[in-house]
Amino acid sequence: MLREGIDCEQFVIPGEKVADLKNFQCGSNTYLRGNFIYSSIVGIKNISKESKEGKKIVSVVQRNPYTAVIPEVGSFVYARVISVNPRFCKCAIICVNSLPLQHDYTGIIRVRDVRATEPDKVEIYNSFRPGDIVRAEVISLGDSRSYYLSTAKNELGVIYAKSMAGEMMIPINWCEMQCPKTKVKEFRKTAKPSISEKN
């Protein structure tokens, strides 16, 4: 994914596809899922010289080309889940429209904003867990440095999560992810992957 402005054409976020396995090999801060390599952190995509296997190594490095962007109503953001309780999920917003923030802003996902259908049956703990990376939309401004977020659209929700075994999980439907190592399924409100990201 290419982005315009502030010399961040190669900026990537957790869960973003950075290369294919046919021509590249996993480097630092990346992981393999199917036939593609994905970023595990917010950073800059880096391609190094060929390895012994004859493939170039793709990695993601942390740098600080931050811009003075702030979340606004209608913006799509990426946020890390900090805590959950029966009424809402508290997040730290780390990117706005794929641009990294210099300072985290607090985001709140209320029970009624998790999904569009049957919101009264939503259980926050079955939708998000601390440490998850979520793609969400800013729907309103809360108090100072706090925003109300929504994951009600199909393309919004958890895009990156680790299983209880510490493995990067794979989404298998709109409400579950699976550990590739143990095959154990865990509930999440997953984001529908784009066609280009499917294996």
Side-chain angles (χ1 to χ4, degrees):
M1 181 185 299
L2 298 180
R3 301 185 176 83
E4 297 179 353
I6 68 152
D7 192 29
C8 63
E9 290 83 4
Q10 295 298 309
F11 227 94
V12 293
I13 58 174
E16 182 173 341
K17 183 171 65 177
V18 294
D20 62 85
L21 188 60
K22 182 179 179 180
N23 301 306
F24 295 90
Q25 181 178 332
C26 280
S28 58
N29 301 316
T30 65
Y31 65 95
L32 181 64
R33 190 175 81 199
N35 295 318
F36 297 100
I37 298 170
Y38 296 80
S39 172
S40 61
I41 65 168
V42 174
I44 296 176
K45 175 180 172 181
N46 181 65
I47 297 175
S48 61
K49 296 180 180 179
E50 292 185 358
S51 65
K52 295 179 180 178
E53 290 77 15
K55 295 182 180 180
K56 292 184 178 180
I57 300 174
V58 61
S59 58
V60 179
V61 296
Q62 291 181 314
R63 294 184 188 170
N64 296 306
Y66 296 110
T67 57
V69 295
I70 60 172
E72 297 178 348
V73 174
S75 298
F76 289 97
V77 302
Y78 294 87
R80 180 178 293 103
V81 176
I82 299 173
S83 63
V84 296
N85 66 44
R87 296 181 296 111
F88 61 84
C89 163
K90 184 178 181 181
C91 309
I93 300 173
I94 55 178
C95 291
V96 176
N97 296 325
S98 298
L99 293 176
L101 298 175
Q102 186 172 8
H103 302 289
D104 288 349
Y105 290 83
T106 300
I108 300 294
I109 305 174
R110 298 168 294 187
V111 170
R112 65 187 183 189
D113 298 321
V114 172
R115 67 184 190 213
T117 58
E118 300 181 318
D120 56 316
K121 295 183 179 180
V122 170
E123 293 184 15
I124 287 288
Y125 195 68
N126 285 336
S127 302
F128 312 107
R129 302 282 178 87
D132 290 354
I133 301 296
V134 177
R135 180 190 296 132
E137 181 179 8
V138 179
I139 55 174
S140 67
L141 305 179
D143 52 17
S144 178
R145 294 177 65 87
S146 179
Y147 297 83
Y148 287 124
L149 310 178
S150 170
T151 57
K153 296 179 179 178
N154 289 340
E155 65 271 22
L156 304 177
V158 177
I159 60 169
Y160 176 88
K162 285 189 176 182
S163 68
M164 298 297 288
E167 298 291 324
M168 309 299 179
M169 292 199 294
I170 301 169
I172 56 176
N173 56 49
W174 65 274
C175 65
E176 289 182 307
M177 300 183 86
Q178 186 176 44
C179 175
K181 182 178 181 180
T182 65
K183 305 303 179 184
V184 172
K185 298 176 183 177
E186 295 183 23
F187 288 110
R188 294 291 198 284
K189 195 293 180 183
T190 62
K192 180 181 179 181
S194 64
I195 295 176
S196 63
E197 291 178 346
K198 292 182 179 178
N199 299 329

